[in-house]
Amino acid sequence: MTLIHLNNSLPNRLSKLKQWFWHRKGLVYHRLCNGTVQAQLRDYKSIPIIIISFNQLYYLQQQIDFLLRHGYKRIVVLDNHSTYQPLLAYFETLDPRVTLIRLSENLGHLAFWKSEAVFQTYSKGYYVVSDADIVPVDDCPHDVLLQLRVLLDKAYDRTKVGLSLALDDIPETNPNKAAILNWESQFWTSKLKANVYKAEIDTTFALYRPGYRYHKKRFTKAWRTDFPLQARHGGWYIDPKQLSEEQEYYMKTANASASWQINAQGELVNSIHKTLYRDE
C-alpha cells in the first residue's frame, strides 16, 4: 500500500492526490505499453546515462570507467563543443561502448533538453543526466540504477531521484569549503526513510522518468540517496594556488551555468548556487 502523508489543507490534499493518481497512471501505461521501459525493467543497465561534457577530462574519465566497470551499456557523452585538447584526444580513444555526440555550440548544463534530436532518442524510457565532474564513490553498488529506479517509482511528487554528494573529504584548500558545507546542510534535514532525503538536485547524477521534459518550476525537486549511493563533486576538490592545467583551462572557458565556479583567486564567479533551488 502507498501511504500519502497529507497536511490539513484541503487544496494541498487534492493536489497530492492528483499527483499520485497521474504518477500511478503513468507507471501502469509505461509498464504495459512502452517497449523501451519494458526492456529497461528486464535490464536496468540498458538505461541511457547522458553525461554533459565541457572541457573536463579528469573526472569524466573516472565516471565513465565506473560505469563501464559495472556493465552499463548506454553511456552517452554529450559534449558542449569542448576545445581542451587532452579531452579531444581522449574522445579519439573512447571505448566503443560509449557514444559521443558533439554539439556545435555550448548549450550549458541543460544541453540534453535543449537538443531535441538527442532528447527524442534517449528519453523514450528512464534516463540519467549527469555533469561530467560527478564520480560515484568506490562503495557505490553496481545496481545503483536499479535502486534509483525503484525509488523514483515511489517518488510521485518528485521530478527525479539522484545521488547525494560526499562532504567528508572536501579539502581545506578549497576557499569555499565552509560555504559549500553550509549550503549542502539544508539537503540533509528532511529524511523520508532509511538513506533517502527530500532534497534538491540540479544536474548531478540523477534518474528521470520516461519522456520528462525540462520545466524550471519543479526541475530540482528530488529525492537524494545517502551513502553508499553517493558521488563526489570533482569541482570541490581544488587548490587555487596549485591549479592543474585542466582546471585553469576550464575556469577560462566555462559559462555561467557552471555552479560553484571560481576564478584563479578562488573567488566565486557567480551566485547561481544560491538561487538554483528557489522555484516552488
Side-chain angles (χ1 to χ4, degrees):
M1 175 181 294
T2 300
L3 297 179
I4 304 176
H5 299 285
L6 304 173
N7 62 24
N8 293 324
S9 167
L10 181 58
N12 187 67
R13 291 186 184 188
L14 294 175
S15 176
K16 292 288 188 181
L17 284 170
K18 183 178 179 180
Q19 285 178 302
W20 179 84
F21 171 78
W22 286 108
H23 170 70
R24 297 301 301 178
K25 185 176 181 180
L27 280 180
V28 171
Y29 168 79
H30 287 297
R31 291 187 177 217
L32 294 178
C33 305
N34 187 325
T36 299
V37 169
Q38 291 169 351
Q40 292 174 346
L41 293 176
R42 293 190 296 269
D43 180 8
Y44 63 88
K45 291 187 177 181
S46 68
I47 294 174
I49 301 168
I50 297 91
I51 306 171
I52 309 301
S53 164
F54 180 71
N55 285 345
Q56 291 181 298
L57 169 60
Y58 183 73
Y59 293 110
L60 171 66
Q61 188 170 8
Q62 291 183 47
Q63 184 179 163
I64 290 175
D65 288 348
F66 172 90
L67 296 171
L68 290 175
R69 186 166 65 250
H70 290 302
Y72 286 93
K73 302 171 183 178
R74 295 194 77 192
I75 305 167
V76 181
V77 176
L78 182 59
D79 185 70
N80 271 317
H81 196 58
S82 291
T83 53
Y84 182 55
Q85 288 302 316
L87 175 62
L88 303 185
Y90 171 69
F91 286 161
E92 296 295 324
T93 65
L94 267 179
D95 188 289
R97 291 171 289 178
V98 180
T99 298
L100 173 65
I101 301 173
R102 297 210 63 205
L103 300 175
S104 60
E105 59 181 317
N106 186 353
L107 298 180
H109 69 301
L110 301 177
F112 176 67
W113 294 281
K114 293 180 178 180
S115 305
E116 184 64 21
V118 180
F119 175 82
Q120 290 290 345
T121 300
Y122 294 104
S123 66
K124 293 180 174 63
Y126 295 93
Y127 64 87
V128 170
V129 172
S130 177
D131 294 325
D133 60 352
I134 303 298
V135 182
V137 299
D138 292 340
D139 291 318
C140 190
H142 73 91
D143 65 346
V144 54
L145 284 200
L146 174 60
Q147 295 193 47
L148 293 183
R149 198 271 300 163
V150 170
L151 289 171
L152 184 60
D153 286 350
K154 297 177 181 178
Y156 71 92
D157 62 343
R158 302 284 101 180
T159 297
K160 67 190 92 172
V161 175
L163 305 181
S164 62
L165 299 175
L167 301 174
D168 59 342
D169 61 350
I170 299 175
E172 297 296 333
T173 56
N174 186 332
N176 300 297
K177 178 178 180 177
I180 292 169
L181 293 177
N182 180 64
W183 175 255
E184 290 290 314
S185 65
Q186 67 186 298
F187 305 133
W188 295 93
T189 59
S190 299
K191 191 169 187 177
L192 299 173
K193 57 179 73 178
N195 298 325
V196 177
Y197 293 80
K198 184 168 70 173
E200 309 285 342
I201 296 176
D202 189 33
T203 48
T204 55
F205 195 105
L207 181 70
Y208 297 79
R209 294 185 179 88
Y212 170 77
R213 284 184 176 272
Y214 172 79
H215 295 285
K216 181 179 180 181
K217 186 174 182 180
R218 296 190 59 82
F219 177 65
T220 63
K221 303 305 176 185
W223 284 359
R224 282 192 185 195
T225 54
D226 200 352
F227 182 88
L229 299 179
Q230 193 169 73
R232 288 187 173 84
H233 188 314
W236 290 344
Y237 298 82
I238 193 167
D239 181 353
K241 296 180 180 179
Q242 295 183 344
L243 295 174
S244 68
E245 175 191 81
E246 177 182 317
Q247 289 169 334
E248 288 185 344
Y249 193 90
Y250 178 74
M251 287 180 185
K252 292 176 181 176
T253 56
N255 64 25
S257 73
S259 62
W260 295 106
Q261 183 184 354
I262 65 173
N263 58 26
Q265 290 72 46
E267 301 166 335
L268 288 169
V269 173
N270 57 56
S271 58
I272 189 170
H273 61 283
K274 298 178 181 179
T275 57
L276 279 174
Y277 309 113
R278 298 310 184 198
D279 293 311
E280 295 298 331

